[in-house]
Amino acid sequence: MILSGAEMIVQAFQREGVECVFGIPGGSVIPLYDALYDAPFRTILTRHEQAACHAADGYARVSGKVGVCIATSGPGATNIVTGLANAHMDSVPLVVVTGQVVTSAIGTDAFQEADIYGASLPLVKHSFLVRTLEELPYALRGAFVIASSGRPGPVLVDVPSSVQKDRGKFDYPPEVHFPGYHPEDRNDFTHLERGIATLSASSKPVLLAGGGCILAEAEAELLKLAETCNIPVATTLMGKGAFPETHPLSLGMVGMHGTPQANLAVSEAEVLLALGTRFSDRSTGGKNTYAPKATIIHVDLDEAELGKNIATPLPILGNAKLVLSRFLEGLSGQEDRTAWLEQIAGWRQKYPLREDNPKDSLSVPGILRKIQDFQGKEGILTTDVGQHQMWAALHYKVNRSRTYLTSGGLGTMGFGLPSAMGAAFARPGERIACIVGDGSFLMNLQELETCKRYNLPITMVLCNNGTLGMVRQWQDLFFRQRFSGTCESPTCSFTEVARAFGLKAWSATDEKELQEALAQSFTSDGPSLVECFVPPEDNVYPMVPAGGNLKNFLFYPT
């Protein structure tokens, strides 16, 4: 087959089963967009490259497939950098194709030239700079293999416009090999038997499920182990959905804004079996006080994570699904852990989470409860970043993996709406809920137009407290209430802004208005917005101060 480089890219996408591509055209990708004109899959036009990358990210998280986006050279490419870093931190498989100036002009400061290959290197799993047409098929195949194998991540392929125009024979390799990259062979079960024996002998064990459990599709094995051996399960933020949060053995999320029972259980545990988590600072608090009584068994597919943040005497290198199946083979399930579960039940009773606002006004936890009533136990929710994100992590019960989308490692404001767009394309016809704050919503507000143009069934619930709430909360608690740069309220009505984009929109100041607005939004066609006004002084509790002991959490003020 004799094809242009641009046609080769389209052919590669088709052979990799790509269903949709997000992006924006520009000078250096005009040849590619010309080839996309005849593509059998959809090309989705967003209104900002960062949003295109987040949409591909959301698509990948929901579908489990590789998300794909395109950006032009120069500012188009640099606009996707945040999206690349976000996907890299959360281990999301993406293939990002960027245009580049013609090969002969690279390094001359040509119009819209930027070294996105060099700029992206610390923020991706791998980057390719394709300088000849002959390199292109191997780079494209390699990008999909690297993005989706082992620990997933984003891969960038930078293609000069001259390479896109060149024509030649298209040989798409069925296999690719990279020196030193063999993730399928990376297992080390040296400490497996000792880990099984240690867990079996413990009267106070805890299972900690991270995002790696979802990536490994280990949910069934995790549930079986917990139920067979009566072991409570905590999750990280990225692990929400790995274990059903309505299950009696669920402790909820651990960490800075973790539930009291999760934080206390980890702090008092004798054994902690941690699965697919990198022990980030937000989930551990102070490293020196983390799980002080526990023997930690750390299971991870990425050898670099074992012992990186938290020392472990029992590291196990491997896929969480495979390792859990080995644990199930070696455990009898006869251990009596009644006293441990009763102790945890006492913590639940002593530290109940509060949903309603004592000031008789709307609260974000109460809003989340209403959203869950409409979405059910397995509906998809995307969040943006800020206070509402942590309230959602605490109060929104997730029972199925790949239904809770949030920016974990990078904490990227502006993630919520475009990731909901990607989720909508991954699950056609299914209504997606998206909760955002006024500050984060303004980061990618232009994508309301994209939602309307494609008539995406997204219900956006905007919690408007007129502040940059999470930073304001830190200023309130730790900076003597010196509210610098956080309390300048937006000058617009988001309800009216949404209507100007052609969306249906409502506002709510009390429970009655909220119920009516959500009922109309969830039963309407296309995208819609519900703007909820919440008190600016509300803080997220519980909260462990940065670097603190998980046992020493701030609770609701009396």
Side-chain angles (χ1 to χ4, degrees):
M1 226 186 330
I2 303 300
L3 300 175
S4 70
E7 291 168 336
M8 290 181 184
I9 296 171
V10 173
Q11 273 288 322
F13 287 173
Q14 188 174 348
R15 296 192 185 194
E16 297 292 346
V18 172
E19 297 173 323
C20 57
V21 174
F22 303 88
I24 303 177
S28 70
V29 289
I30 292 176
L32 176 52
Y33 267 82
D34 184 68
L36 287 167
Y37 189 86
D38 299 315
F41 48 82
R42 299 186 73 178
T43 303
I44 309 302
L45 174 66
T46 62
R47 293 304 184 186
H48 195 284
E49 288 87 358
Q50 180 186 340
C53 202
H54 289 330
D57 183 316
Y59 172 90
R61 295 190 198 219
V62 168
S63 67
K65 302 175 182 178
V66 176
V68 179
C69 71
I70 296 170
T72 193
S73 63
T78 58
N79 277 347
I80 65 162
V81 167
T82 298
L84 288 172
N86 186 82
H88 189 47
M89 289 284 277
D90 289 350
S91 303
V92 179
L94 298 183
V95 168
V96 180
V97 175
T98 52
Q100 185 54 273
V101 298
V102 297
T103 307
S104 60
I106 293 176
T108 68
D109 294 329
F111 176 69
Q112 289 195 332
E113 180 187 4
D115 181 12
I116 190 61
Y117 170 77
S120 66
L121 285 176
L123 307 173
V124 295
K125 190 173 179 185
H126 194 67
S127 285
F128 293 91
L129 172 57
V130 180
R131 289 183 174 270
T132 67
L133 187 67
E134 291 71 27
E135 299 171 25
L136 184 58
Y138 199 88
L140 291 167
R141 179 73 181 120
F144 280 92
V145 169
I146 293 171
S148 58
S149 58
R151 180 178 180 174
V155 177
L156 179 109
V157 185
D158 195 31
V159 188
S161 59
S162 54
V163 174
Q164 297 173 42
K165 294 175 183 177
D166 287 346
R167 300 186 67 82
K169 187 177 180 181
F170 178 59
D171 288 321
Y172 198 60
E175 295 182 354
V176 291
H177 301 281
F178 298 96
Y181 184 70
H182 305 288
E184 67 281 358
D185 299 331
R186 300 305 297 266
N187 290 306
D188 185 348
F189 294 164
T190 303
H191 300 289
L192 180 65
E193 289 188 11
R194 186 177 161 203
I196 293 172
T198 301
L199 184 66
S200 178
S202 172
S203 60
K204 293 185 176 183
V206 170
L207 303 179
L208 176 62
C213 286
I214 295 173
L215 296 175
E217 299 181 348
E219 299 90 344
E221 290 79 7
L222 178 63
L223 178 63
K224 186 175 181 180
L225 179 63
E227 290 183 335
T228 301
C229 299
N230 273 322
I231 304 177
V233 182
T235 67
T236 66
L237 177 61
M238 295 307 301
K240 276 181 71 73
F243 190 81
E245 293 189 300
T246 56
H247 195 286
L249 289 171
S250 172
L251 298 172
M253 185 180 74
V254 71
M256 177 176 284
H257 290 289
T259 66
Q261 63 268 18
N263 284 351
L264 290 169
V266 167
S267 298
E268 294 296 323
E270 293 176 350
V271 173
L272 180 67
L273 174 55
L275 302 146
T277 175
R278 57 189 176 85
F279 288 118
S280 76
D281 57 301
R282 287 300 171 97
S283 65
T284 63
K287 301 291 194 295
N288 294 332
T289 58
Y290 181 73
K293 303 177 182 180
T295 299
I296 296 177
I297 309 165
H298 188 187
V299 178
D300 207 281
L301 189 65
D302 186 351
E303 188 173 10
E305 296 298 344
L306 297 175
K308 184 180 80 175
N309 291 324
I310 295 293
T312 171
L314 299 174
I316 301 175
L317 178 65
N319 175 292
K321 185 181 184 75
L322 175 61
V323 174
L324 279 171
S325 67
R326 297 291 182 91
F327 267 82
L328 283 165
E329 291 171 3
L331 291 169
S332 65
Q334 302 302 313
E335 299 81 4
D336 182 9
R337 299 191 169 98
T338 304
W340 177 226
L341 296 178
E342 287 178 349
Q343 185 177 4
I344 292 171
W347 292 329
R348 291 182 197 270
Q349 186 173 7
K350 183 177 180 180
Y351 299 107
L353 297 182
R354 183 187 297 166
E355 290 189 355
D356 298 320
N357 196 310
K359 304 178 185 65
D360 199 28
S361 57
L362 287 177
S363 69
V364 179
I367 293 167
L368 285 158
R369 184 181 67 250
K370 293 286 187 182
I371 294 173
Q372 187 126 54
D373 288 344
F374 285 99
Q375 277 292 76
K377 294 180 179 179
E378 297 191 347
I380 295 172
L381 176 74
T382 76
T383 88
D384 220 295
V385 168
Q387 285 182 306
H388 68 276
Q389 177 192 31
M390 292 297 100
W391 271 310
L394 279 164
H395 295 273
Y396 195 87
K397 304 301 181 186
V398 181
N399 283 337
R400 183 167 61 114
S401 63
R402 300 192 181 278
T403 61
Y404 184 83
L405 280 61
T406 196
S407 173
L410 200 63
T412 308
M413 292 176 69
F415 173 81
L417 176 54
S419 66
M421 290 159 36
F425 283 106
R427 296 274 182 84
E430 186 171 334
R431 180 153 287 277
I432 310 298
C434 171
I435 187 165
V436 297
D438 52 289
S440 54
F441 194 58
L442 284 166
M443 296 282 186
N444 269 313
L445 182 69
Q446 75 285 339
E447 298 309 318
L448 288 175
E449 193 278 333
T450 308
C451 293
K452 176 60 180 177
R453 184 162 22 92
Y454 291 103
N455 201 39
L456 300 179
I458 300 173
T459 289
M460 291 157 257
V461 181
L462 190 154
C463 301
N464 188 350
N465 63 3
T467 74
L468 297 174
M470 186 57 83
V471 182
R472 186 212 61 81
Q473 174 167 335
W474 281 54
Q475 291 171 338
D476 178 29
L477 297 175
F478 310 118
F479 288 86
R480 295 174 288 128
Q481 298 184 331
R482 291 162 59 88
F483 300 121
S484 177
T486 53
C487 296
E488 299 180 25
S489 299
T491 59
C492 62
S493 162
F494 291 102
T495 303
E496 294 302 322
V497 169
R499 289 171 180 166
F501 275 104
L503 279 69
K504 296 176 182 176
W506 302 267
S507 60
T509 58
D510 58 36
E511 294 249 353
K512 183 174 181 294
E513 290 178 347
L514 175 64
Q515 179 69 26
E516 292 173 353
L518 289 177
Q520 293 181 78
S521 178
F522 276 94
T523 55
S524 64
D525 294 327
S528 56
L529 179 137
V530 178
E531 181 179 11
C532 306
F533 294 94
V534 297
E537 66 274 9
D538 282 2
N539 289 337
V540 185
Y541 294 107
M543 180 183 185
V544 178
N549 189 323
L550 291 183
K551 294 177 67 174
N552 300 331
F553 49 85
L554 305 177
F555 208 53
Y556 305 100
T558 55

